[in-house]
Amino acid sequence: MLRRRMLAGLALTSVTAFGAVREWGPDQTRPILEKTLVVRLAPGLDHLSPGERKAVAELVAAGAPLQRIYEQQLHRHALTAYRALEARRPVREDLLSLYRLWQGPIATDLDNRREPFLPVEPTVPSKNVYPWGVAKERVEAFLTTHEAARDDILNGRTVVREAADVPRDLAALAARPDLAALHPSLKARIRAGSSGFYAIPYALAYAAELDEAGGHLLEAARAVRSEDEDLADYLANRRRDFLTNDYESGDASWIMGSFRNLNAQIGSFETYDDELFGVKSFMSHSVLVRDAERTRTLQATLRGIQSIEDALPYEPHRRVRENIPVGVYNVVADFGQARGTNTASILPNEARITRRYGRTILLRYNLMTHPDLFAISQAAWTAAVAPEHAGDLGQEGSFYRTLWHEIGHYLGPDRDRSGRDLDQALQEDADLFAELKSDLVSLFAAQALHRSGDYDDARLKDVYAGGILRTLQKNQPRRGQPYQTMQLIQMNYFLEKGLLELDGAGRLRIHYARYPEVVASMLEKVLAIQAAGDKPAADALIDRYDTWTEELHERLGQAMRATERYRYRLVRYQALGE
Ligand SMILES: [Zn+2]
């Protein structure tokens, strides 16, 4: 108890350290919490064997340390601020809910501004995976004179440090002979860091948390070894990946393995949270149970995927696997970067790995079809479109649009023509372009699937309506929000090309007949920029189409905001005792 009180004391000191930043009072938290929809996930686990149920418990237990990694990646004082908050008496449930909602001490308020709600510094683009608050120009200047350090510093699973950190990192490495043996040149690279910047692998930066999580992965593997060898191998390999800082072994067994009833997304993959260079991956963990029946139906619709790749407006085409690993799952629990209401994921991202093994697609069914979430979409849709389109939206549309968005990540160029990964070529634009391409491929493929008879007229229309829904923004996106920005870009392009039109009442009329041509022309531009690795052209396309005007976008946004009872979604999990 004494230790807890001391931590609370520390947090209070930080009020003065950061001057104006004060903790939010109930008057500030209430409007946010009133706008927060709580979604609770509790998929059935009764059909699992005793070994599988034990594995689920171990996988869920691995989530806690991985969650702590994510929170400290986001903010350097996240964990101390949380411990102080947790120790407070009386308990501030409102602040605990906000921390849970944003996985750290930074809120996105009702005006889409990011503000600390606990006494900590405001967030910075570097987050805590570079020296806190470092300017991009400083790192770039260093790299021009230290070319040899570039790969290490821009690696997706390293934390960038500066000279003052050298003694601490040398001491940490000295305490871990296993990591020193696996990373033989690391000691020398840390020492060389006294000349400016250097990088250490996540394996060292988050060693304690990864050990704890890894222990649970091994227990889960042991529990299913006799009945699901592929899953057991994957879990054991991923635990080793945490030490080697190289995910190839775990990723290969994840993508290529055929698992029975369980799956899990374990590790750091997505780079959306890195607002400095867009290259650092942030920790995630999802525990999933498979919907066997829906998975089988889905795999049947995937025949003919090569013909869709071949029809894409770019050259030269790739050879795509016909048997893409895709599954329909129910979410048991999500942690870190994966926590929220994301409906699907396709992983991994590293080109050197996806070229050899492909990627696995995880459709998250209990989120995709959650009735409370669909009702929110329907209300916004009705406010934004002309009355004759009010009934166009169908729940099926979102499932198929999302499925083909994920498959879209499989299609198109995976490197530019000079052989660079697109992340390196397009830098902070790379994620935006990857998502934009996938959205457009999904709409492009809809025509082909309609021709082949996989989509009937109604489903085609559902998918097309879903494609428009996707572009509707309630708030002006911030620079650095790749999904929202690329959705806005699509809307403006669709307006320019006459797929969308504003009616007299300021609502959107949809000219479905224009869909094929407009989508194909935009997709062609996007694929050309990716294939050329043309960063200036990528910047130019974003600048031209990310316009937000008062009379059009803000008015539509206001109309949609007026329908919303909820702005935020907080997901709770039965598996966590919630
Ligand atoms: Zn995507």
Side-chain angles (χ1 to χ4, degrees):
M1 203 56 212
L2 181 63
R3 194 166 156 262
R4 290 197 147 193
R5 223 173 280 133
M6 284 170 65
L7 282 167
L10 274 177
L12 287 177
T13 337
S14 59
V15 178
T16 45
F18 308 121
V21 179
R22 270 197 314 262
E23 175 179 288
W24 282 9
D27 52 323
Q28 283 165 293
T29 61
R30 197 179 308 111
I32 303 265
L33 291 171
E34 281 171 1
K35 286 272 186 185
T36 302
L37 170 70
V38 177
V39 173
R40 187 168 175 275
L41 300 182
L45 304 175
D46 293 346
H47 62 295
L48 301 180
S49 72
E52 286 172 331
R53 261 176 272 171
K54 162 99 163 91
V56 166
E58 291 293 344
L59 289 170
V60 168
L66 299 176
Q67 178 70 34
R68 291 201 300 275
I69 293 177
Y70 181 65
E71 290 170 14
Q72 59 185 297
Q73 287 182 305
L74 285 182
H75 198 291
R76 66 169 166 172
H77 295 130
L79 297 181
T80 41
Y82 180 72
R83 281 194 292 266
L85 180 60
E86 209 188 13
R88 283 268 291 281
R89 295 297 176 269
V91 177
R92 283 286 305 273
E93 285 293 347
D94 56 338
L95 292 174
L96 285 168
S97 291
L98 293 198
Y99 188 96
R100 172 65 194 271
L101 180 59
W102 285 297
Q103 309 193 66
I106 305 295
T108 300
D109 70 14
L110 289 162
D111 298 315
N112 209 24
R113 283 184 313 235
R114 282 181 297 179
E115 307 281 353
F117 59 89
L118 296 176
V120 298
E121 299 152 283
T123 188
V124 285
S126 67
K127 303 291 172 57
N128 196 26
V129 289
Y130 302 89
W132 182 259
V134 73
K136 184 174 183 178
E137 295 71 29
R138 260 189 73 207
V139 180
E140 275 173 338
F142 175 80
L143 292 178
T144 57
T145 52
H146 297 78
E147 195 53 43
R150 178 176 293 271
D151 285 351
D152 211 24
I153 283 186
L154 296 184
N155 183 288
R157 294 193 186 96
T158 62
V159 177
V160 178
R161 311 274 216 196
E162 54 193 341
D165 303 314
V166 168
R168 168 176 65 138
D169 285 332
L170 283 176
L173 185 61
R176 289 298 298 258
D178 57 336
L179 296 178
L182 286 166
H183 304 272
S185 65
L186 181 56
K187 191 170 168 184
R189 281 184 283 134
I190 295 175
R191 282 213 175 108
S194 48
S195 70
F197 296 107
Y198 66 101
I200 60 165
Y202 286 180
L204 180 62
Y206 310 120
E209 291 86 352
L210 291 172
D211 279 348
E212 187 183 336
H216 290 295
L217 297 188
L218 286 184
E219 284 303 316
R222 215 188 317 275
V224 293
R225 170 70 58 195
S226 63
E227 54 188 311
D228 195 343
E229 188 175 32
D230 283 13
L231 177 64
D233 283 345
Y234 160 52
L235 297 173
N237 284 338
R238 179 60 91 230
R239 182 263 179 181
R240 197 177 324 105
D241 296 346
F242 283 166
L243 301 172
T244 62
N245 216 57
D246 176 348
Y247 279 18
E248 178 163 4
S249 113
D251 283 351
S253 42
W254 188 29
I255 301 158
M256 312 298 277
S258 59
F259 305 159
R260 278 166 44 99
N261 287 316
L262 303 181
N263 204 334
Q265 169 188 322
I266 312 163
S268 67
F269 302 97
E270 300 290 5
T271 58
Y272 309 118
D273 288 311
D274 173 2
E275 293 179 77
L276 203 64
F277 284 91
V279 295
K280 301 296 177 192
S281 60
F282 282 64
M283 191 53 73
S284 69
H285 183 58
S286 291
V287 185
L288 307 163
V289 283
R290 184 191 305 269
D291 183 325
E293 185 57 42
R294 287 202 173 81
T295 296
R296 261 194 301 278
T297 318
L298 195 58
Q299 274 159 351
T301 69
L302 288 186
R303 65 186 189 280
I305 181 171
Q306 184 68 46
S307 68
I308 290 173
E309 162 73 21
D310 293 342
L312 294 182
Y314 84 111
E315 296 285 341
H317 289 290
R318 295 162 53 200
R319 190 78 217 147
V320 187
R321 285 173 61 175
E322 301 274 335
N323 61 335
I324 291 180
V326 52
V328 185
Y329 298 92
N330 287 307
V331 174
V332 177
D334 285 328
F335 300 88
Q337 197 273 339
R339 182 168 282 177
T341 53
N342 278 346
T343 49
S345 44
I346 173 162
L347 291 169
N349 292 326
E350 285 172 276
R352 72 185 179 95
I353 289 176
T354 61
R355 261 198 320 281
R356 286 194 276 274
Y357 311 102
R359 314 174 81 186
T360 188
I361 298 172
L362 312 159
L363 296 167
R364 301 148 64 84
Y365 191 77
N366 54 349
L367 282 166
M368 289 176 106
T369 58
H370 200 286
D372 293 346
L373 297 175
F374 183 72
I376 291 174
S377 303
Q378 180 64 55
W381 173 260
T382 309
V385 298
E388 69 261 33
H389 298 306
D392 288 0
L393 209 59
Q395 202 156 2
E396 279 257 282
S398 143
F399 182 79
Y400 286 95
R401 195 200 59 76
T402 307
L403 167 64
W404 281 92
H405 169 99
E406 299 306 329
I407 293 169
H409 282 297
Y410 247 100
L411 307 179
D414 61 350
R415 306 197 133 198
D416 71 5
R417 285 198 196 89
S418 59
R420 289 179 301 174
D421 288 354
L422 295 185
D423 271 349
Q424 274 171 20
L426 299 182
Q427 297 182 34
E428 76 275 11
D429 298 341
D431 286 337
L432 185 150
F433 268 73
E435 297 307 330
L436 181 55
K437 175 203 64 179
S438 292
D439 262 19
L440 293 167
V441 165
S442 176
L443 300 172
F444 182 87
Q447 304 158 53
L449 292 162
H450 184 242
R451 271 196 303 273
S452 67
D454 286 293
Y455 286 3
D456 59 15
D457 292 350
R459 186 175 293 166
L460 178 69
K461 190 137 186 218
D462 280 357
V463 170
Y464 276 169
I468 301 300
L469 172 71
R470 171 86 158 161
T471 70
L472 303 178
Q473 302 299 306
K474 288 179 180 170
N475 291 89
Q476 178 168 19
R478 286 189 307 269
R479 197 84 184 191
Q481 285 187 307
Y483 280 99
Q484 289 88 335
T485 306
M486 69 93 186
Q487 289 156 8
L488 174 63
I489 286 172
Q490 286 181 76
M491 175 190 251
N492 286 330
Y493 189 90
F494 292 174
L495 281 160
E496 180 184 289
K497 303 294 178 193
L499 166 55
L500 291 177
E501 183 196 16
L502 225 50
D503 75 1
R507 295 205 273 197
L508 294 169
R509 187 169 286 141
I510 306 162
H511 297 286
Y512 288 103
R514 299 276 302 141
Y515 231 117
E517 183 193 326
V518 173
V519 163
S521 77
M522 189 173 195
L523 181 57
E524 189 172 352
K525 285 189 210 304
V526 169
L527 293 174
I529 288 168
Q530 287 183 314
D534 191 342
K535 174 80 166 37
D539 287 339
L541 186 128
I542 296 170
D543 286 342
R544 175 158 174 204
Y545 289 105
D546 74 351
T547 326
W548 181 274
T549 64
E550 280 299 317
E551 27 337 325
L552 197 159
H553 307 89
E554 187 57 33
R555 247 178 97 184
L556 277 174
Q558 255 167 28
M560 289 189 285
R561 289 200 298 271
T563 71
E564 68 182 9
R565 270 183 62 208
Y566 303 112
R567 267 294 284 293
Y568 308 100
R569 295 122 186 235
L570 197 162
V571 189
R572 302 256 183 214
Y573 309 94
Q574 182 176 51
L576 297 183
E578 297 178 322

